[in-house]
Every structure is written in C-alpha cells, then in structure tokens.
C-alpha cells in the first residue's frame, strides 16, 4: 500500500472533489485509489486554519503517477 497526504487550501477542495463528488469518484474508479478529506483533528500542526488534508491511498506505486496525471 502506498499513500500520500496533500495539504490544500479550503477553496481548492471543491476542485478536487467536483460537483457532487464527480471528479473524485472518477479518479477512484479509474485508479482504484482511496481518497478522503481528513477530519480537522487529523490535520498536522504545520497546516494553517485555511487548509484541509487530503489522504490518497493506492495499492501500488504506479497508481500514484496516474493520480497526479488526473489532477492536471
């Protein structure tokens, strides 16, 4: 299992998720990744109050590249 966490500004979360979750659902379907926005208490101390944490979990390293290609 490969995972990464991304800090994103509150205003960017909607762009990742899409209307009704459509973008993130497509990424999940195409890559098999598990993507979720973590709860406020799970955000690291280095984050600003205007940031949220996105956690992405993959079953292999090749999916990581696919995820970042989809995000462009």
């Amino acid at each position: 299992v490969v995972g990464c966490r991304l800090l994103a500004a509150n205003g960017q979360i909607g762009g990742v998720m899409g209307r009704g979750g459509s973008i993130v659902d497509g990424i999940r379907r195409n890559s098999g990744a598990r993507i979720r926005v973590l709860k406020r208490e799970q955000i690291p101390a280095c984050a600003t109050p205007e940031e949220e944490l996105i956690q992405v979990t993959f079953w292999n390293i090749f999916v990581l590249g696919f995820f970042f290609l989809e995000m462009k």
Side-chain angles (χ1 to χ4, degrees), residues 4-71:
C4 68
R5 290 182 171 185
L6 311 163
L7 280 175
N10 291 339
Q12 294 176 324
I13 297 295
V16 173
M17 303 307 276
R19 184 172 289 238
S22 61
I23 294 173
V24 77
D25 284 344
I27 294 171
R28 286 176 178 145
R29 248 191 334 274
N30 293 329
S31 69
R34 182 174 180 212
I35 305 165
R36 58 190 199 134
V37 178
L38 298 179
K39 295 178 181 175
R40 174 74 36 205
E41 47 280 350
Q42 295 176 293
I43 296 176
C46 63
T48 68
E50 295 82 30
E51 292 179 314
E52 293 192 57
L53 189 63
I54 302 170
Q55 179 175 286
V56 185
T57 307
F58 308 93
W59 295 109
N60 66 55
I61 193 68
F62 300 108
V63 176
L64 182 63
F66 177 81
F67 173 77
F68 286 107
L69 286 174
E70 284 284 311
M71 294 305 296

